[in-house]
Amino acid sequence: DDQVTEEQVSDQQVDEAPSDESGGETTGDDTPDDATTDDDTEITPIERPLDAVAVNDVGAGIRPLLSWSAVDGATLYRVVVVDADGAPYWAWSVPETEVFVGGVENAELPGALVVEAMTWSVAALDADGIPLALSDPAPLTP
């Protein structure tokens, strides 16, 4: 018979919340500095890069050209546009130091458009995808 009885269910072990060395419960927000994975591979926290990407002023428009200064060692730049609520709206990766919102200049072509106040930022990445520098958020207006 394949039926599970109430007694069998109550006998099963229930996973408890993980605890830290002091016996307290832990959550995802209080990972220790020397965190490891299940296979004991050490996780090295990535610190915010010390360098900053300098972004250029952007004029108003529904498909503005976003541009920034080159960063030594960067092979790729990742651009992210977020809406007024801080939710990601559009992202693009490019080896150059400029890109139109939506990926193309012509507003008649498909792609993202700036239709409300937003912000954008850019991260400079090396050949391994490691961040070298990050810009502060900059405003976009239609």
Side-chain angles (χ1 to χ4, degrees):
D1 195 354
D2 288 35
Q3 289 184 332
V4 177
T5 67
E6 197 173 312
E7 182 177 287
Q8 289 171 316
V9 172
S10 65
D11 287 344
Q12 292 179 350
Q13 277 191 323
V14 178
D15 290 337
E16 295 180 13
S19 63
D20 61 18
E21 293 175 9
S22 65
E25 289 186 4
T26 62
T27 66
D29 293 338
D30 50 8
T31 303
D33 291 336
D34 59 347
T36 59
T37 62
D38 289 341
D39 65 358
D40 292 331
T41 303
E42 188 170 329
I43 298 172
T44 305
I46 297 175
E47 296 180 18
R48 181 183 165 120
L50 299 176
D51 295 330
V53 178
V55 298
N56 299 320
D57 288 336
V58 176
I62 60 171
R63 188 139 302 150
L65 178 64
L66 309 178
S67 64
W68 52 91
S69 298
V71 173
D72 288 341
T75 59
L76 191 68
Y77 297 92
R78 186 159 300 138
V79 178
V80 177
V81 174
V82 298
D83 66 18
D85 295 327
Y89 172 71
W90 178 78
W92 199 264
S93 293
V94 61
E96 296 86 17
T97 57
E98 63 183 26
V99 65
F100 285 95
V101 170
V104 294
E105 181 178 7
N106 185 342
E108 299 298 318
L109 295 175
L113 300 171
V114 177
V115 295
E116 64 181 3
M118 299 181 174
T119 59
W120 71 284
S121 59
V122 60
L125 308 175
D126 70 11
D128 294 323
I130 305 296
L132 299 173
L134 180 65
S135 74
D136 287 328
L140 284 175
T141 55

